[in-house]
Amino acid sequence: MSVQKIQGSPWSLQGPLRRVTYVGLYEAIAIVAATAGLSALSGQGAAHSGVVAVVSSVIAICWNVVWNHLFEMWEARQDTRGRGIGRRIAHAMGMEGGLVFMLVPLFAWWFKVSLWEALVMDIGLLLFFLVYTFVFNWSFDRIFGLPRSAQ
């Protein structure tokens, strides 16, 4: 666990502490947003939508750990360092794209809707989360510095 001042960031997190902080903050905000979004998209109450938002969050946490590990392994092999807009877009698209395949069947089952309706619901959330993931990652890196793989 390393905390040091670098690249204009007051705190630099690396390793497991960075990952735990990232996932905890990201998912706490995501559960609130997903509950509201699923409730609006399904026409069902926040309590019903909140359960699937928490389950989705657990799925997303597992995928997040796998995806970020794979992404950082790939990133460490690149000649260009840093995280420009193209790399950030690729990161967000890979994260959210993987979740589509896991969450659509869950939504169809939980809300008792067709796979098509579940996909439409997921696309609504996906559009929000693409922007959210991009903004969150950018903000997180500005506050806590870049991971070693991008330095």
Side-chain angles (χ1 to χ4, degrees):
M1 169 173 89
S2 169
V3 178
Q4 56 184 323
K5 187 173 180 153
I6 62 167
Q7 298 180 5
S9 171
W11 299 99
S12 177
L13 295 178
Q14 297 297 326
L17 180 59
R18 179 184 180 82
R19 287 184 179 91
V20 168
T21 302
Y22 174 95
V23 171
L25 288 172
Y26 183 94
E27 292 304 325
I29 296 166
I31 288 171
V32 172
T35 297
L38 288 169
S39 182
L41 291 169
S42 71
Q44 298 189 24
H48 187 73
S49 297
V51 171
V52 81
V54 170
V55 171
S56 298
S57 179
V58 170
I59 291 168
I61 288 169
C62 294
W63 173 236
N64 189 314
V65 170
V66 170
W67 174 246
N68 283 323
H69 177 72
L70 293 172
F71 188 85
E72 288 177 10
M73 282 178 38
W74 169 82
E75 185 177 50
R77 293 190 312 264
Q78 302 310 301
D79 291 333
T80 303
R81 293 293 177 213
R83 289 189 176 174
I85 192 154
R87 195 167 288 181
R88 289 183 183 282
I89 289 170
H91 183 268
M93 298 274 297
M95 176 65 194
E96 299 308 323
L99 283 177
V100 167
F101 292 103
M102 294 178 251
L103 296 183
V104 168
L106 173 65
F107 292 170
W109 171 76
W110 185 256
F111 293 113
K112 296 180 180 24
V113 297
S114 69
L115 286 173
W116 176 253
E117 290 170 298
L119 178 62
V120 170
M121 290 171 67
D122 195 54
I123 288 171
L125 289 177
L126 174 68
L127 293 174
F128 166 78
F129 275 100
L130 276 174
V131 174
Y132 170 61
T133 299
F134 180 87
V135 170
F136 183 88
N137 283 324
W138 193 338
S139 300
F140 190 88
D141 288 347
R142 298 278 297 166
I143 294 166
F144 297 108
L146 292 173
R148 282 189 194 100
S149 64
Q151 293 178 13

